[in-house]
């Protein structure tokens, strides 16, 4: 397991350096739902564990553009599971120019974390005909102005699943073009 670079490799550092060398703003997907410590995610102490993880990321690698969250496995109307306000406070303190968001809601493009962006609510790369960037604030941040500017993000894998497998092939160019029109063409970032 630690054989890569003699156990001294830092994939995040390499990723950020690569992005910077190409003039691309690095962004990260860091879900608070930890499938390795599944039972911890339902305890208050897990929030501190996640905040400590965020501190390593937000303070150790230089500026980045976006932090994408995933509220996976959090129950509807149960925002207290994840301490979104403290997560955002850490981000604003250490990465003031970065935006944060993700998650989804019970129906199309409702929001349940954020506060800067929102997830459309499916993983098919399909937007909605009336996908407005000005919308109600995140359910987790009701103190924000209503309406707020919270652009929508749609996500989709270019393979069968989210992770690479040697026996899977990427989806076709025709499929990618259609997906582009169904997301970016409907005011969603892809």
């Amino acid at each position: 397991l630690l054989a890569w670079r003699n156990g001294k490799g830092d994939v995040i550092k390499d990723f950020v350096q690569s992005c910077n060398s190409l003039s691309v703003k690095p962004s990260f997907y860091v879900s608070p739902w930890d499938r390795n410590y599944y039972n911890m995610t339902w305890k208050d102490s897990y929030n501190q564990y996640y905040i400590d993880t965020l501190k390593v990321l937000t303070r150790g690698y230089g500026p980045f553009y976006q932090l994408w969250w995933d509220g996976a496995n959090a129950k509807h109307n149960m925002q207290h599971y994840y301490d979104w306000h403290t997560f955002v406070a850490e981000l604003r303190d250490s990465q003031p120019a970065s935006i944060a968001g993700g998650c989804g809601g019970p129906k199309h493009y409702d929001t349940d974390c954020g506060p800067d962006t929102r997830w459309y609510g499916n993983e098919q790369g399909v937007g909605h005909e009336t996908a407005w960037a000005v919308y109600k604030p995140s359910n987790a941040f009701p103190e924000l102005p209503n309406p707020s500017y919270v652009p929508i993000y749609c996500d989709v894998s270019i393979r069968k699943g989210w992770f690479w497998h040697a026996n899977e092939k990427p989806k076709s160019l025709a499929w990618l073009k259609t997906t582009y029109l169904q997301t970016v063409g409907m005011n969603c970032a892809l």
Side-chain angles (χ1 to χ4, degrees), residues 15 20 35 48 64 78 93 95 111 118 125 135 144 153 158 177:
F15 170 74
N20 291 337
R35 295 176 110 178
Q48 187 59 52
F64 59 83
M78 301 288 280
D93 183 53
Q95 296 280 338
T111 54
R118 65 190 193 273
Y135 196 64
L144 294 176
Y153 280 68
I158 63 167
K177 286 180 182 178

Side-chain angles (χ1 to χ4, degrees), residues 3 6 11 19-20 26 42-43 57 72 74-75 77 83-84 88 98 120 125 129 131 146 159 179 181:
N6 297 319
V11 71
C19 287
N20 291 337
W42 308 121
K43 297 178 182 174
L57 182 64
K75 294 181 181 177
N77 291 328
D83 188 353
W84 297 117
V88 169
S98 184
Y120 183 71
E129 190 173 324
N146 189 4
R159 298 179 160 289
T179 300
L181 294 175

Side-chain angles (χ1 to χ4, degrees), residues 145-166:
N146 189 4
S148 289
Y149 179 73
V150 281
I152 306 165
Y153 280 68
C154 289
D155 60 341
V156 64
S157 177
I158 63 167
R159 298 179 160 289
K160 182 179 178 184
W162 289 107
F163 302 101
W164 184 86
H165 298 283

Side-chain angles (χ1 to χ4, degrees), residues 12-26 61 63:
I12 296 172
K13 180 180 177 185
D14 289 351
F15 170 74
V16 170
Q17 286 177 344
S18 179
C19 287
N20 291 337
S21 73
L22 298 168
S23 299
V24 173
K25 295 177 182 178
Y61 295 97

Side-chain angles (χ1 to χ4, degrees), residues 29 31-32 68-79 82 84 101-114 117-123 135-140 151-155:
Y29 170 99
S31 174
W68 182 259
W69 284 312
D70 185 343
N73 221 19
K75 294 181 181 177
H76 176 56
N77 291 328
M78 301 288 280
Q79 286 88 5
Y82 300 131
W84 297 117
C103 302
K107 57 185 179 178
H108 294 304
Y109 61 85
D110 265 0
T111 54
D112 70 349
C113 65
T117 62
R118 65 190 193 273
W119 178 57
Y120 183 71
N122 69 58
E123 294 179 340
Y135 196 64
K136 67 181 182 176
S138 166
N139 295 332
I152 306 165
Y153 280 68
C154 289
D155 60 341

